[in-house]
Amino acid sequence: MEIDIQIKRKEIVNDILVNCNIIARSLQKNPETEELAGELMTPDDEQTKPVVARALTEAFGEVKRICQKYLVLGRYRDDNRLERIDETNRYVENVEANPAATECKYHLLTGIPYTVKATSTEEVKIMDDEGSTLAQGTDIEFDYTPVRMNECLTVSSRNTTTVAITYLWGDFGHYEVRLDMPECFNISMTETVKSCTHRMMVDYAMYAILKDQYAEKAKEYAAAFTGDQEALRGALRSRVRYRRPFAGDWS
């Protein structure tokens, strides 16, 4: 019996951000830990991101170690690369906006859902190629799916300003665990296997983020990670029946 489990990276990263923000809000109440709270509030900054990326790689390795008896899909050879957390495609351009509508350079692909982010010092308006307003402000983020071929967005502002525009599209990324389970495996435990795997990766990443900054809290996540491992082992051992075998069954 083969089961295929996908753990979405975006859901893992969202849980990490939520946990970090909960801890940071608690630390902000104490003047002595306000600086630490500020650092934990942004686990996606350029200094912390490599720590998270390495932690997720290591955590997934632990998942595969526990599942090794049943594991079908996995990397044959480890090249020790630091995997990208976000595998979304992206394109960045700078556009000079002014009162006249300025056409962007990037040609959008028809039917592809995009997330568009734009920042500038002046308020700008972003429009489609028919002049309909899609978003307005100085720090903009919106979703857009073009329906016309080779469409380019246009921008305008009251005063001349440089607008940094980022286009994001595609899958954020996921981890895949493919297992060849015994026929008597309790298939209803598949969701539990997935949940335990997800929780393992979140708790391991939180431990990695906190261990050098907030060791006391890091110990809690280390203990939680150990519990997650045991829960995953228990889910993998789940069977729908246990019975005494007979010699006739071996024919």
Side-chain angles (χ1 to χ4, degrees), residues 59-70:
F60 189 54
E62 285 297 301
V63 169
K64 290 190 291 185
R65 183 180 65 81
I66 292 173
C67 297
Q68 61 183 304
K69 181 178 179 181
Y70 311 106

Side-chain angles (χ1 to χ4, degrees), residues 116 118 124-128 132-137 140-142 154:
V116 182
V124 297
K125 185 179 358 179
I126 298 184
M127 300 160 286
D128 62 19
S132 300
T133 301
L134 301 174
Q136 189 169 347
I140 302 168
E141 180 175 339
F142 63 95
T154 57

Side-chain angles (χ1 to χ4, degrees), residues 1-5 63-64 66-73 176-182 185 190 193-194 197 232 236:
M1 180 193 304
E2 191 169 291
I3 60 174
D4 193 358
I5 296 171
V63 169
K64 290 190 291 185
I66 292 173
C67 297
Q68 61 183 304
K69 181 178 179 181
Y70 311 106
L71 196 63
V72 174
L73 185 67
E176 186 172 1
V177 182
R178 189 176 299 168
L179 305 173
D180 185 13
M181 302 301 294
F185 173 69
T190 302
V193 172
K194 180 179 179 180
T197 301
L232 178 57
L236 291 171

Side-chain angles (χ1 to χ4, degrees), residues 55 58-68 70 189 192-205 207 219-238:
E58 292 172 353
F60 189 54
E62 285 297 301
V63 169
K64 290 190 291 185
R65 183 180 65 81
I66 292 173
C67 297
Q68 61 183 304
Y70 311 106
M189 295 300 290
T192 303
V193 172
K194 180 179 179 180
S195 297
C196 292
T197 301
H198 173 93
R199 198 68 248 168
M200 273 181 65
M201 300 192 71
V202 172
D203 288 337
Y204 190 93
Y207 163 75
K219 290 178 182 177
E220 294 181 18
Y221 281 100
F225 175 74
T226 301
D228 300 333
Q229 289 178 303
E230 292 307 312
L232 178 57
R233 288 191 182 96
L236 291 171
R237 289 194 296 262
S238 181

Side-chain angles (χ1 to χ4, degrees), residues 29-237:
K29 298 175 183 178
N30 187 342
E32 295 180 1
T33 55
E34 277 185 323
E35 184 176 350
L36 175 58
E39 293 175 358
L40 292 179
M41 195 73 76
T42 55
D44 55 344
D45 64 22
E46 292 306 314
Q47 290 183 324
T48 310
K49 214 185 309 185
V51 175
V52 176
R54 175 53 62 195
L56 292 180
T57 300
E58 292 172 353
F60 189 54
E62 285 297 301
V63 169
K64 290 190 291 185
R65 183 180 65 81
I66 292 173
C67 297
Q68 61 183 304
K69 181 178 179 181
Y70 311 106
L71 196 63
V72 174
L73 185 67
R75 195 187 302 163
Y76 288 105
R77 183 171 50 201
D78 186 10
D79 55 14
N80 202 36
R81 71 178 182 268
L82 186 62
E83 296 180 352
R84 290 172 57 189
I85 298 174
D86 182 0
E87 294 184 350
T88 305
N89 300 300
R90 63 185 60 214
Y91 180 85
V92 181
E93 65 173 331
N94 292 320
V95 180
E96 292 297 320
N98 53 58
T102 304
E103 187 175 75
C104 300
K105 303 180 186 70
Y106 183 70
H107 292 268
L108 300 167
L109 301 173
T110 307
I112 300 296
Y114 287 87
T115 296
V116 182
K117 299 180 180 181
T119 56
S120 63
T121 55
E122 298 277 343
E123 184 173 287
V124 297
K125 185 179 358 179
I126 298 184
M127 300 160 286
D128 62 19
D129 62 0
E130 291 188 342
S132 300
T133 301
L134 301 174
Q136 189 169 347
T138 57
D139 191 3
I140 302 168
E141 180 175 339
F142 63 95
D143 296 325
Y144 180 63
T145 302
V147 295
R148 292 168 288 273
M149 294 291 291
N150 292 322
E151 181 175 358
C152 292
L153 301 180
T154 57
V155 295
S156 67
S157 63
R158 291 184 179 179
N159 303 307
T160 300
T161 185
T162 300
V163 187
I165 303 178
T166 303
Y167 306 87
L168 304 168
W169 72 98
D171 187 12
F172 194 94
H174 65 271
Y175 297 96
E176 186 172 1
V177 182
R178 189 176 299 168
L179 305 173
D180 185 13
M181 302 301 294
E183 288 301 320
C184 57
F185 173 69
N186 189 344
I187 194 67
S188 65
M189 295 300 290
T190 302
E191 187 62 35
T192 303
V193 172
K194 180 179 179 180
S195 297
C196 292
T197 301
H198 173 93
R199 198 68 248 168
M200 273 181 65
M201 300 192 71
V202 172
D203 288 337
Y204 190 93
M206 288 300 300
Y207 163 75
I209 293 169
L210 296 170
K211 66 179 180 179
D212 294 326
Q213 304 181 78
Y214 193 4
E216 183 180 342
K217 196 68 177 177
K219 290 178 182 177
E220 294 181 18
Y221 281 100
F225 175 74
T226 301
D228 300 333
Q229 289 178 303
E230 292 307 312
L232 178 57
R233 288 191 182 96
L236 291 171
R237 289 194 296 262

